[in-house]
Amino acid sequence: MDILTSKADGILTIEFNRVERKNAITGVMYQAMADALVDAESDDAVRAILIAGKPEIFTAGNDLDDFMKNSAPVEGVPAEMRPVFQFMRALSGSSKPVVAAVSGAAVGIGTTLLMHCDLVYAADNAKFSMPFSQLGLCPEFASSLLLPQLAGFPRAAEKLLLGEAFLAQEAYDMGLVSKVLPLAELRPYAARQAAKLVALPAASIRASKSLMKRSRNAAITETMEAENALFGAMLQAPEAKEAFTAFFEKRKPDFSKFA
Ligand SMILES: C/C=C/C(=O)SCCNC(=O)CCNC(=O)[C@H](O)C(C)(C)COP(=O)(O)OP(=O)(O)OC[C@H]1O[C@@H](n2cnc3c(N)ncnc32)[C@H](O)[C@@H]1OP(=O)(O)O
């Protein structure tokens, strides 16, 4: 199983488990995470959600082979029905508190999804990147709104235009991360924080989270729609094909022939 899910002591844990491909996320994996989140939403026994990777890797982001093979529009299937949309809608709209424990690389949607979590804990080996322009793509799932809001435009531009990677301390300074911990302490700490949420009155946590997010909900929805229209078109463009092919051929992409 490339995604492990388990429920215990009021916590739904979702864990990436595809280390041999650096936890790159396929459609099947997005669907498994979406289904787990949708199920948790209506399960009163779940009072917190914990998302984690492996000590050496959070996730390499979307599986690039999946992008090449399965991203063309399918007649009769709206893009919003794709597993990645179902997952991000369920995560962004979750009324339950979501804790993330990040160690190793968090690439692309691996960093974007953190902006939709509530408590984000990073190990000192965590490395974040959103290399959308390096892949011939553009930001997705409201990162073009949320990162500038968190970090300020000039710093967000380094991360979203240049696609520069950044380490845990900078992620903390930018406001993307709640706390940085030594790797060995990450999972126990995140689990303890999730357990604290479980012990608090669920209605109070729900109300507080909803109030904290309400002023930006409409903007997030509107931004996602604008991003996703562009992202979907860019996925089919030759720049992205060159970037994906170059990755698997272990060479630098050559964008010089594209205007
Ligand atoms: C809507 C969502 C959008 C997005 O998420 S866009 C972002 C897409 N993701 C990426 O562009 C990241 C691509 N991966 C990497 O840059 C690197 O990997 C890492 C920095 C994550 C790790 O580097 P290293 O430790 O050197 O590992 P390795 O040798 O590159 O990877 C080990 C095996 O994993 C496969 N793999 C890694 N990432 C992906 C991926 N994203 N999609 C498909 N396969 C991937 C490789 O090809 C390779 O495989 P083999 O052992 O056969 O050579």
Side-chain angles (χ1 to χ4, degrees):
M1 300 285 274
D2 293 338
I3 294 291
L4 302 177
T5 63
S6 60
K7 286 182 194 173
D9 303 324
I11 302 170
L12 165 69
T13 300
I14 298 177
E15 190 173 325
F16 296 111
N17 186 42
R18 197 184 177 218
V19 183
E20 71 286 0
R21 306 300 284 180
K22 301 286 168 180
N23 289 341
I25 314 172
T26 60
V28 171
M29 293 164 71
Y30 285 123
Q31 191 66 58
M33 294 191 286
D35 291 347
L37 290 171
V38 168
D39 171 77
E41 193 62 24
S42 59
D43 183 350
D44 289 344
V46 175
R47 294 162 73 95
I49 294 156
L50 175 62
I51 300 179
K54 299 292 181 195
E56 66 277 30
I57 179 81
F58 186 62
T59 170
N62 204 101
D63 186 295
L64 295 176
D65 196 41
D66 223 31
F67 260 163
M68 288 201 288
K69 292 183 178 144
N70 300 318
S71 61
V74 180
E75 211 179 304
V77 181
E80 303 73 46
M81 288 310 293
R82 286 173 180 266
V84 63
F85 285 85
Q86 293 187 43
F87 165 59
M88 288 304 291
R89 244 192 336 262
L91 178 64
S92 175
S94 176
S95 68
K96 315 220 170 179
V98 183
V99 181
V102 187
S103 42
V107 186
I109 199 164
T111 292
T112 300
L113 71 85
L114 302 173
M115 298 174 209
H116 298 273
C117 296
D118 303 307
L119 299 173
V120 180
Y121 296 112
D124 46 15
N125 74 339
K127 189 175 182 182
F128 305 83
S129 59
M130 288 166 284
F132 304 118
S133 50
Q134 295 168 8
L135 294 167
L137 300 171
C138 67
E140 28 77 296
F141 297 109
S143 56
S144 65
L145 172 77
L146 298 173
L147 197 67
Q149 274 181 0
L150 281 173
F153 193 95
R155 197 129 56 136
E158 285 185 337
K159 316 309 176 201
L160 288 174
L161 301 187
L162 291 173
E164 284 183 353
F166 50 105
L167 300 177
Q169 186 58 46
E170 188 177 1
Y172 175 78
D173 294 341
M174 283 165 52
L176 181 66
V177 155
S178 314
K179 192 177 177 72
V180 180
L181 297 131
L183 177 58
E185 290 171 29
L186 176 72
R187 281 296 289 271
Y189 188 85
R192 281 201 302 279
Q193 296 297 84
K196 280 187 203 167
L197 289 163
V198 169
L200 288 163
S204 183
I205 299 294
R206 264 198 310 276
S208 303
K209 174 169 174 170
S210 156
L211 287 165
M212 287 169 75
K213 295 187 91 170
R214 68 186 270 281
S215 66
R216 61 182 210 193
N217 282 343
I220 287 178
T221 305
E222 193 272 331
T223 305
M224 281 192 194
E225 281 168 11
E227 289 170 340
N228 292 334
L230 280 173
F231 193 94
M234 294 178 99
L235 262 183
Q236 306 308 316
E239 289 90 335
K241 187 164 184 251
E242 164 62 9
F244 302 159
T245 307
F247 175 74
F248 287 114
E249 291 177 354
K250 300 186 190 292
R251 62 171 172 81
K252 274 192 185 316
D254 175 10
F255 297 123
S256 63
K257 51 186 176 287
F258 307 117

